[in-house]
Amino acid sequence: MALKSEWIIVIVALLHFVISSNSYEYDPWVPIEDPNRPFMRNLGEFAVRECNQKNHTNLKFVTIEKGKLLRTRGVFKYKLLIEATDGNNKNISKKYKALVSKWVVTHVVKSEYFEPIVPAKDAPLKTPSLYSNF
């Protein structure tokens, strides 16, 4: 009888561990500590240049507010929250979300996307869910 109750305690403890460990969210994206160091600024400027070429815009890079890094096999992916101004109106800056990939071996850099963050009407500017874990 004592052996049976010990097994029940072990099973309950294991179930508690499994249930509590599943509630923990693992985020493979690591926050970038200094998003405005030269390498990161180069990635941000690259993303803005690519957007200008693809969309025939005249955005000017200002700064990177936040960033996250995902290291995968052979590719580093950077989620960036970029502030840029319209070249025609430098007094108004807007925020953009970008994803830039850099291949480790070939050093090829690609802008996966570059999108404006559009706030809802009459709502304060919110960071999109892509960047909610900053």
Side-chain angles (χ1 to χ4, degrees), residues 15-57:
L15 283 174
H16 175 72
F17 175 74
V18 168
I19 291 170
S20 65
S21 66
N22 284 342
S23 64
Y24 172 74
E25 286 187 35
Y26 172 71
D27 186 7
W29 291 88
V30 179
I32 297 169
E33 290 182 20
D34 182 12
N36 281 298
R37 66 179 189 264
F39 172 74
M40 296 306 303
R41 286 186 64 83
N42 287 341
L43 288 178
E45 290 168 353
F46 171 79
V48 170
R49 274 194 315 272
E50 288 291 303
C51 174
N52 285 337
Q53 288 177 355
K54 288 179 185 175
N55 301 316
H56 305 289
T57 56

Side-chain angles (χ1 to χ4, degrees), residues 87-122:
N88 302 326
N89 189 354
K90 294 182 181 181
N91 296 329
I92 300 175
S93 65
K94 294 183 181 178
K95 293 180 182 10
Y96 299 85
K97 59 183 179 178
L99 178 66
V100 179
S101 299
K102 180 177 185 294
W103 279 260
V104 177
V105 176
T106 61
H107 302 288
V108 170
V109 179
K110 179 180 179 187
S111 180
E112 304 289 340
Y113 64 78
F114 188 91
E115 301 170 354
I117 297 173
V118 181
K121 281 190 172 183
D122 301 324

